[in-house]
Amino acid sequence: MKNFLQKMALLLLCLSLFAALSPFAEARDTLRVGIHPLGDGVITVDATGNYYGIETDYMQTLTSYAGMDVAFVPGSWEENLARLRTGEIDAIAGVPQMPEYRGELLYSRMPIDFARGSRKFQLPVPDHQVTPLYYVMRQGNDALFGRVERANDAMAANRPFFLEMLTQMYADRQPARVLRLTQDERGYIAAHPVIHAVVVPNERPIAYMDEDGAFKGKVKMLTDRIAEDLGVTIDIRTVPSYVEAEAAIADGSADLYLNIDWDIAFAESKGMAATISYATDYYTTVTRRFSDLTHPVIAAVDSRMTDQMLRTRYADDQIRIYPDIEACFQAVQSGEADVTFQRQETAQYAIWQGDFPDLVSDGTVAFLQRDSIGVSERVSEQLLPILDKEINVIAPDFAQESLVPQGSTEARHRSIRSLIYAYPLYFVGGIFLVLILWYTLRQRRRHTDEIQHLVDTDSYTGLRSHAWLEHQFEELTRDLPVDGRAWYFIVFGIANLDAIVGTYGQQVVSDMIRRFTAELGEVSWAKACASHASAGHVLCLAQAKDEGILIEAVHHQKEVQEYVRVGDMNVHVPIHAGIAAVGFPPEERRKIFEHANLAMHETNDVQVYNDAMQASALERSQIESLQQAALDREEFVIWYQPKYDLRTKKCIGAEALVRWKSKELGFLPPGKFIPLFERNGFITKLDFYNLVHVMKMQRDRRAKGLPVVPVSVNQSRFHMQEKGYLQRMAELVGIYSTDGVELELTETAFDLAGREQRENALAVVTKLKKLGFRIDMDDFGSGYSDLTLLDALPLDVMKLDRSLLLASENSERMRSVLARMTDLGHALGMTVICEGIETEEQEQMLIDCGCEHGQGYLYGKPMPQEEFESFLAAHL
């Protein structure tokens, strides 16, 4: 029973709380407002659906005062009017007074926006007139209208300048303001092309006289803009005091009093009307450093600002009047006064000048004052509205436009003295940094000279380097040579440099280059010489009348220098030389050096550069630039040259050869690109490409039940050291099988520098054999043949080189060698085949020597795959 009573009490408590809080849980009423772009402001909406604009901000704040939410419904005026009539929306924002809707619509008492001219309502309103815009509701909705209007009254009481604040906030979204004058106003301007003005130029940079006696400052910029827009001349007379300026207005010699405070009553007392404000000035305090402001003495000029601002805040005995602003600064500087209140621009300029080094300003705004132009009562009826319109047009932009040039002027006039006083620690630190910089630059110059010496000196020979000669090239070839002589650049190079260095050492090469360079520098035609021992080069900038004579002289030098003493031996070191003529004006030196270097590499003797060499080099460069794309596009095609039984004439296999059908270069035989691919290493990619195509062909023939004969595919020596080569070969075997595929290797694949590399190559071939490939030794008998390879390698085929066949045609001794090599191959269990058979006599000689297989043009030329398969079907 007790537990039951406790539960009931808890339930009653919860119900009580719910009843108490239920009013707060009720949803607020929502005011549905139609909006349309008819005011000066632009209404925008962000990604989350929030609206931004003068009318939407106004209505949102208004509904908050009414205790309601707001929902905006965008559309045209016609669409929103139809929605209002049917009750889909409660109000429309931004509507002008239109008599035809007076009986249908309820208009708010206060405007919520303004439109200039008729805008989109096509109202009979002049362009220069400003049209108020209101929110409206339909007749009969009096309760809601009264609720919102009461909220509008409350908001107006609490936020009297709310609409002005919104207008300023959205000023950047307003359409460009245009000066629109009535016909009478334009007539007045035409009748008064010159307007007379007076100003007191006593405050830099606001209004002042420069060193040449010309009126300058922000006020001058304003009057120049007004004169330009109105098409008039404003004749400005400068006077030293406010009394004289007021007298000029009184006696009628001036129509305008420039740069007065916006004080309507003060202007009226001086016989003027004040225009609307064109700028707001922010006044700040200027004090001595560390001054006591407990009961400050104020330095001020006798002005309306002093009466309005200072005398209401400070006692009369605290305020001391001085004749001008500079005197106020001097009073604070000397200690006669403790503080002066000045415009921020004026305070900054005075401190930057450096004449008042002890004065400081923290930039805090003490009060603000609006600036306007005083218009004489004699002309105010006509001129005042014109100036108000002009200021309305230019005021939003004037502050920003005047800021940059005024700031630049202040910065230009800032003195070093003021900077030192303002930032003493910075200047001490700056001097210290200058000393460090001077020392650093001095050390850097010394290090640069040392580095330059290293650059200009060949490290192996201690002589001038090629970098030094490049600089001398520019100096010497700047002018035409005398006596009809011409400039030439010569590169001498040691042939087979790597072999020479490997055999005799770098020191022997360096000594040879040093001696060569020194002796070459003694000849008359060599004007500058340098060495590049690491490349085995001697460089020379020469001058000669006749190219032929120069070539002979180069020949002589080459022959003299080709022998070097190594211990007790006189070793012959071949030298080749390339010559490039230097035109005038000299071509780019890098191009000349390249030409000479190219000529040197194109010869084993002495060669003068010609354009054909460049064309050949360009062709090689073009081939290299296209090689990868050609592989990707499968422009390389496999041709097959048949191998046959010399006795039966049946096809027993083929060799896969590659051709290039280039989209850019046309049909290229292997001699055009294979040597280049061997040098740049691209041959390894091409080998895999060829192998895959051959393995595919063999797989397809097996799948079709066609006979398969062995096809040999060349493998470059670079594969022997290629990382991942065996792994990739194993992957291909897994995909295609090794049936009908032989790998051709030359002896050069094992002609490696190190023992470890050679053993690694032998191990690679052994593993290829284990994968199932038949191994062919190609070009056997060409040059030096290492017979130990026949024992070390698991060879299946010995392919005799064509040079051995040709040598055997006219030599019994070579024929015996051919027969013994054939016997050797057979004895080792290898198939022996000879390549390059072109005549029946060669064929018979091979039969007589015991060779059973051959390859050559006599039996079949290389042919495309389709043609080969037809050939194979006819010769099995």
Side-chain angles (χ1 to χ4, degrees):
M1 185 68 180
K2 183 178 180 180
N3 289 338
F4 174 75
L5 292 174
Q6 289 177 342
K7 291 180 180 179
M8 289 299 294
L10 181 62
L11 177 62
L12 290 173
L13 178 62
C14 291
L15 291 174
S16 300
L17 289 173
F18 178 77
L21 295 174
S22 60
F24 297 98
E26 294 179 1
R28 299 203 308 176
D29 294 334
T30 299
L31 186 69
R32 299 164 298 173
V33 180
I35 54 174
H36 51 94
L38 299 178
D40 279 355
V42 177
I43 298 175
T44 59
V45 60
D46 64 14
T48 60
N50 295 320
Y51 289 88
Y52 297 92
I54 295 176
E55 295 165 18
T56 53
D57 283 11
Y58 192 98
M59 295 303 295
Q60 282 179 319
T61 307
L62 178 59
T63 53
S64 296
Y65 265 78
M68 304 174 71
D69 292 327
V70 64
F72 293 112
V73 181
S76 66
W77 158 250
E78 291 78 9
E79 291 171 339
N80 281 325
L81 182 61
R83 292 170 182 151
L84 186 67
R85 287 167 174 167
T86 60
E88 293 179 49
I89 59 176
D90 303 310
I92 304 175
V95 181
Q97 294 279 3
M98 293 182 282
E100 61 268 31
Y101 296 106
R102 268 295 178 184
E104 182 180 0
L105 302 178
L106 296 171
Y107 280 83
S108 61
R109 287 192 299 275
M110 288 176 287
I112 66 170
D113 195 3
F114 295 93
R116 284 173 174 76
S118 59
R119 308 289 291 177
K120 298 180 181 178
F121 285 102
Q122 287 78 45
L123 297 177
V125 179
D127 284 344
H128 61 270
Q129 184 170 322
V130 176
T131 304
L133 302 178
Y134 305 84
Y135 67 83
V136 298
M137 296 186 185
R138 67 181 181 277
Q139 290 282 356
N141 201 0
D142 297 338
L144 179 61
F145 183 73
R147 177 180 177 181
V148 176
E149 279 292 271
R150 287 191 295 275
N152 202 7
D153 291 341
M155 187 173 73
N158 295 331
R159 302 187 182 190
F161 303 107
F162 184 54
L163 182 56
E164 179 183 356
M165 182 189 71
L166 290 177
T167 303
Q168 292 176 354
M169 185 173 70
Y170 286 98
D172 60 330
R173 303 188 187 185
Q174 301 286 340
R177 301 192 181 200
V178 179
L179 179 63
R180 294 185 174 93
L181 301 178
T182 65
Q183 185 174 353
D184 291 343
E185 290 167 345
R186 288 193 292 270
Y188 179 84
I189 293 298
H192 298 80
V194 178
I195 299 175
H196 301 281
V198 65
V199 67
V200 181
N202 64 349
E203 188 173 0
R204 192 165 189 159
I206 307 301
Y208 64 96
M209 306 300 290
D210 67 7
E211 293 78 3
D212 299 325
F215 177 51
K216 298 288 185 181
K218 186 162 70 173
V219 174
K220 179 63 165 58
M221 295 178 64
L222 174 69
T223 55
D224 287 346
R225 174 70 182 274
I226 293 173
E228 180 183 357
D229 290 354
L230 298 181
V232 299
T233 299
I234 298 181
D235 177 32
I236 301 176
R237 178 160 62 99
T238 59
V239 296
S241 68
Y242 302 118
V243 174
E244 291 182 55
E246 294 166 2
I249 292 293
D251 63 23
S253 61
D255 304 315
L256 306 178
Y257 186 169
L258 303 178
N259 197 37
I260 68 169
D261 295 337
W262 188 67
D263 187 329
I264 296 175
F266 173 77
E268 177 68 23
S269 69
K270 301 299 182 180
M272 297 181 292
T275 66
I276 60 173
S277 172
Y278 62 80
T280 301
D281 290 326
Y282 299 93
Y283 281 76
T284 187
T285 57
V286 179
T287 63
R288 290 186 310 281
R289 298 176 191 273
F290 314 115
S291 59
D292 182 12
L293 299 180
T294 304
H295 188 74
V297 175
I298 314 300
V301 295
D302 188 10
S303 67
R304 181 66 175 172
M305 185 273 292
T306 301
D307 293 338
Q308 274 191 326
M309 299 295 178
L310 300 183
R311 295 191 188 280
T312 58
R313 302 184 184 188
Y314 300 98
D316 288 343
D317 63 342
Q318 289 182 264
I319 301 174
R320 295 183 184 178
I321 302 300
Y322 292 89
D324 53 40
I325 294 171
E326 184 174 355
C328 293
F329 286 125
Q330 290 173 345
V332 177
Q333 172 81 9
S334 64
E336 293 180 15
D338 300 310
V339 63
T340 182
F341 294 91
Q342 302 296 337
R343 289 183 177 92
Q344 286 182 334
E345 301 98 317
T346 305
Q348 185 181 51
Y349 179 81
I351 293 172
W352 277 17
Q353 278 292 287
D355 295 331
F356 308 104
D358 291 332
L359 300 189
V360 292
S361 173
D362 62 4
T364 303
V365 177
F367 52 84
L368 56 85
Q369 182 68 40
R370 300 180 185 274
D371 298 328
S372 68
I373 299 174
V375 184
S376 172
E377 291 179 347
R378 294 177 298 97
V379 296
S380 61
E381 182 179 355
Q382 298 85 7
L383 192 54
L384 183 63
I386 296 173
L387 292 178
D388 280 350
K389 289 180 179 180
E390 169 65 8
I391 292 171
N392 257 323
V393 170
I394 67 174
D397 302 325
F398 175 70
Q400 185 63 31
E401 291 175 355
S402 64
L403 181 63
V404 174
Q406 289 304 317
S408 301
T409 301
E410 293 170 19
R412 286 198 305 270
H413 285 84
R414 184 159 197 180
S415 67
I416 298 297
R417 180 183 175 189
S418 71
L419 290 172
I420 294 174
Y421 273 99
Y423 311 106
L425 292 179
Y426 287 104
F427 269 85
V428 172
I431 293 172
F432 182 69
L433 287 176
V434 167
L435 292 175
I436 293 177
L437 181 61
W438 172 80
Y439 178 78
T440 302
L441 291 176
R442 182 170 173 269
Q443 291 296 101
R444 183 178 179 182
R445 178 61 181 270
R446 186 169 65 83
H447 293 157
T448 301
D449 291 342
E450 292 174 356
I451 293 171
Q452 189 63 49
H453 176 74
L454 292 174
V455 170
D456 290 343
T457 305
D458 185 82
S459 59
Y460 287 99
T461 65
L463 303 176
R464 296 295 190 183
S465 68
H466 63 287
W468 172 85
L469 188 60
E470 288 184 15
H471 177 72
Q472 289 298 110
F473 177 89
E474 291 184 345
E475 294 292 326
L476 294 175
T477 60
R478 186 172 296 156
D479 301 320
L480 277 170
V482 296
D483 301 330
R485 297 174 183 271
W487 286 109
Y488 296 89
F489 187 75
I490 308 169
V491 178
F492 296 91
I494 297 176
N496 303 318
L497 178 65
D498 291 340
I500 300 297
V501 172
T503 304
Y504 303 109
Q506 179 64 49
Q507 188 59 46
V508 171
V509 173
S510 299
D511 292 342
M512 178 182 176
I513 295 293
R514 186 185 299 107
R515 187 192 73 245
F516 189 176
T517 306
E519 293 181 4
L520 185 62
E522 298 296 325
V523 301
S524 59
W525 46 267
K527 301 303 178 183
C529 298
S531 60
H532 191 187
S534 62
H537 291 169
V538 173
L539 313 174
C540 176
L541 187 60
Q543 208 178 74
K545 286 185 177 181
D546 184 85
E547 188 176 282
I549 296 175
L550 178 63
I551 293 174
E552 290 181 9
V554 171
H555 264 293
H556 174 71
Q557 285 295 323
K558 183 182 82 71
E559 292 170 357
V560 168
Q561 302 297 337
E562 280 187 325
Y563 290 89
V564 61
R565 192 75 176 172
V566 181
D568 297 330
M569 298 184 297
N570 212 21
V571 179
H572 178 251
V573 178
I575 294 174
H576 47 161
I579 303 173
V582 180
F584 191 85
E587 300 94 329
E588 182 185 351
R589 71 171 185 272
R590 180 61 58 191
K591 187 183 297 183
I592 298 296
F593 291 5
E594 289 174 356
H595 288 174
N597 195 55
L598 181 60
M600 180 195 68
H601 284 93
E602 292 287 332
T603 183
N604 292 322
D605 192 9
V606 177
Q607 178 68 52
V608 178
Y609 169 82
N610 57 62
D611 291 338
M613 296 177 188
Q614 187 67 29
S616 177
L618 288 174
E619 183 182 35
R620 291 195 296 271
S621 176
Q622 188 175 17
I623 288 174
E624 287 186 311
S625 68
L626 295 172
Q627 60 190 24
Q628 185 60 53
L631 197 71
D632 297 338
R633 297 194 295 251
E634 296 195 0
E635 292 181 354
F636 296 103
V637 293
I638 310 302
W639 285 25
Y640 298 85
Q641 186 173 26
K643 300 175 183 178
Y644 69 105
D645 188 303
L646 296 178
R647 297 182 183 277
T648 66
K649 304 297 188 290
K650 291 186 177 182
C651 183
I652 53 90
E655 179 181 3
L657 304 170
V658 66
R659 303 291 187 267
W660 184 358
K661 291 183 178 180
S662 173
K663 177 182 177 181
E664 294 83 5
L665 305 175
F667 184 83
L668 297 178
K672 276 284 188 180
F673 56 89
I674 292 296
L676 178 60
F677 289 176
E678 286 280 0
R679 289 197 298 271
N680 65 22
F682 189 71
I683 192 66
T684 57
K685 291 186 177 182
L686 186 60
D687 283 351
F688 276 114
Y689 176 91
N690 297 340
L691 181 60
V692 168
H693 278 73
V694 169
M695 296 177 89
K696 282 182 178 178
M697 185 194 74
Q698 299 291 53
R699 181 192 63 184
D700 294 343
R701 288 186 65 84
R702 287 194 301 272
K704 295 175 182 177
L706 298 174
V708 173
V709 295
V711 176
S712 59
V713 183
N714 287 288
Q715 294 290 283
S716 169
R717 65 195 296 263
F718 293 107
H719 290 301
M720 300 301 101
Q721 307 299 321
E722 182 183 6
K723 186 177 181 180
Y725 172 63
L726 287 173
Q727 179 182 350
R728 189 169 179 188
M729 293 296 280
E731 291 171 356
L732 292 178
V733 171
I735 297 172
Y736 299 107
S737 163
T738 60
D739 186 19
V741 180
E742 297 177 354
L743 302 180
E744 280 195 11
L745 300 168
T746 63
E747 289 183 86
T748 57
F750 309 96
D751 184 18
L752 301 170
R755 177 180 178 182
E756 184 179 345
Q757 292 176 314
R758 178 183 175 90
E759 290 178 352
N760 179 68
L762 295 174
V764 168
V765 175
T766 301
K767 290 179 181 178
L768 290 174
K769 179 67 176 177
K770 290 181 180 179
L771 287 174
F773 289 103
R774 283 171 56 86
I775 308 299
D776 298 2
M777 177 61 76
D778 194 17
D779 298 335
F780 194 81
S782 62
Y784 171 76
S785 294
D786 187 353
L787 297 179
T788 61
L789 292 175
L790 299 178
D791 177 57
L793 294 174
L795 299 174
D796 298 292
V797 178
M798 176 189 288
K799 195 170 186 181
L800 300 177
D801 189 69
R802 181 172 180 267
S803 62
L804 191 60
L805 175 63
L806 295 177
S808 300
E809 286 187 293
N810 301 313
S811 172
E812 287 295 332
R813 292 170 64 87
M814 287 304 299
R815 190 173 300 178
S816 297
V817 171
L818 176 61
R820 299 293 79 76
M821 292 184 72
T822 303
D823 293 341
L824 177 62
H826 289 154
L828 294 175
M830 292 186 286
T831 300
V832 179
I833 184 171
C834 186
E835 62 183 359
I837 303 174
E838 297 181 352
T839 67
E840 293 180 357
E841 290 77 13
Q842 291 173 340
E843 184 182 69
Q844 186 59 48
M845 181 177 63
L846 287 170
I847 293 173
D848 295 341
C849 290
C851 182
E852 68 266 58
H853 297 144
Q855 176 184 344
Y857 276 34
L858 177 65
Y859 184 71
K861 297 180 180 180
M863 58 191 75
Q865 178 178 328
E866 184 178 350
E867 186 178 336
F868 169 70
E869 292 190 274
S870 299
F871 180 91
L872 182 60
H875 292 80
L876 284 175

